[in-house]
Amino acid sequence: MPELPEVEALRAFLDDHLVGKEIARVLPVAISVLKTYDPPPDVLDGTRVTAVARHGKFLDIATEGTAGPLHLVTHLARAGWLQWKDVLPSGPPRPGKGPLALRVALTGGDGFDLTEAGTTKRLAVYVVHDPADVPGVARLGPDPLAAAFDLAAFTAVLADERRRIKGALRDQSLIAGIGNAYSDEILHAAKMSPYKPARNLTPEEIAHLYTAMRTTLADAVARSHGLAAGRLKAEKKSGMRVHGRTGEACPVCGDTIREVSFSDSSLQYCPTCQTGGRPLADRRMSRLLK
């Protein structure tokens, strides 16, 4: 799933390629991708792009036209992606079983496709007058890289949190933009178990986690800066130290990276760096080994 660094890189890429240009047509291909119907997507035809913003993992393309300010807001979900094309195909896209979900064509002949792999269709597109009209945007917590989100704000966010720290970091209503992958990376950098209860963190541990969070995300954004949209997935994978690297050696201590599996996801961690050398319980794997 694209998370804050990749979505921020897409925002910067689109800011360079979209702002000031006119949208010729918005062409939904998969009906499931549209989560709003009033105003309809064709109200964006003929509008001019004025800005591109990011809200957590949401991309927000702001436009101006005869109907006033409008926003095309997108959440790429787990398997969605944005593919920029300097020259779009001349014919209209045909609905089918392929990954294409929505096309945005510009008057200059360029534009982008929103695609989604797999059969679970969660990619979401909203056409709204205000991005706050999107429920997922309205409930977002603070952005972890915002200047105002200092250590005191981070401490306040965790003050009444009763879940494990891994779950807290991934909760978009607490902190916007961190998902499964970067929560693994942040906790590894902080040398903290993903199972540690958030309410048990000492002030020193909170400060250490805050620094790890800001540094990990800022470094990932810096690595992605200036890359074309098509190269961002590979950059994300290559920059991971523990996430997605089960069975490999930890780059810090050399211990074997382990995994805990869940029904629809998994986490990776280093026992030596994060859990005092003790493997975390993995009930799903235990059942498979019986």
Side-chain angles (χ1 to χ4, degrees):
M1 175 184 291
E3 299 178 31
L4 185 155
E6 295 78 47
V7 179
E8 175 60 24
L10 284 174
R11 183 210 62 76
F13 177 87
L14 292 177
D15 191 66
D16 290 339
H17 287 73
L18 278 183
V19 173
K21 294 186 177 181
E22 183 179 297
I23 294 175
R25 292 193 69 187
V26 175
L27 301 163
V29 178
I31 298 301
S32 62
V33 75
L34 285 174
K35 306 305 178 186
T36 55
Y37 302 96
D38 185 19
D42 61 8
V43 76
L44 293 168
D45 298 354
T47 62
R48 189 167 299 277
V49 178
T50 58
V52 182
R54 177 185 60 79
H55 313 285
K57 301 178 192 176
F58 289 84
L59 271 173
D60 172 12
I61 299 171
T63 71
E64 184 73 40
T66 56
L70 290 166
H71 296 259
L72 179 68
V73 179
T74 301
H75 191 289
L76 294 171
R78 176 170 293 183
W81 197 244
L82 185 149
Q83 298 182 357
W84 179 264
K85 297 182 183 297
D86 291 328
V87 180
L88 285 171
S90 56
R94 295 182 178 180
K97 296 182 179 180
L100 181 60
L102 182 136
R103 174 168 290 166
V104 174
L106 305 176
T107 55
D110 50 352
F112 64 86
D113 288 340
L114 293 178
T115 62
E116 185 171 24
T119 58
T120 303
K121 302 302 182 182
R122 296 181 179 175
L123 188 150
V125 174
Y126 308 80
V127 180
V128 292
H129 293 285
D130 187 324
D133 294 336
V134 177
V137 173
R139 72 178 184 88
L140 287 176
D143 191 288
L145 291 182
F149 193 61
D150 56 13
L151 177 57
F154 183 60
T155 302
V157 161
L158 296 180
D160 297 321
E161 183 54 53
R162 295 181 175 274
R163 289 170 294 181
R164 292 168 174 171
I165 189 60
K166 166 84 173 177
L169 289 175
R170 293 184 62 187
D171 187 341
Q172 300 303 294
S173 65
L174 287 183
I175 305 170
I178 300 172
N180 192 36
Y182 284 103
S183 58
D184 281 351
E185 295 298 298
I186 291 165
L187 290 168
H188 179 257
K191 298 185 181 298
M192 186 175 294
S193 169
Y195 281 8
K196 190 174 184 67
R199 63 179 176 179
N200 290 353
L201 295 178
T202 66
E204 292 75 17
E205 287 174 325
I206 292 175
H208 190 52
L209 180 61
Y210 175 77
T211 299
M213 177 187 68
R214 298 271 288 199
T215 301
T216 298
L217 294 176
D219 287 350
V221 170
R223 288 195 308 270
S224 300
H225 181 72
L227 293 181
R231 294 177 56 193
L232 290 174
K233 286 185 179 181
E235 171 54 40
K236 177 180 181 179
K237 185 175 181 180
S238 68
M240 294 289 154
R241 302 204 294 179
V242 291
H243 184 78
R245 299 195 179 277
T246 304
E248 299 181 21
C250 172
V252 174
C253 72
D255 194 2
T256 301
I257 296 168
R258 292 178 179 257
E259 176 176 308
V260 177
S261 299
F262 305 98
S263 59
D264 61 350
S265 66
S266 63
L267 66 83
Q268 286 80 43
Y269 69 100
C270 170
T272 294
C273 290
Q274 296 175 253
T275 62
R278 298 183 303 275
L280 296 173
D282 185 351
R283 293 187 179 89
R284 184 183 181 200
M285 291 303 297
S286 297
R287 289 196 298 269
L288 292 174
L289 293 172
K290 285 182 178 179

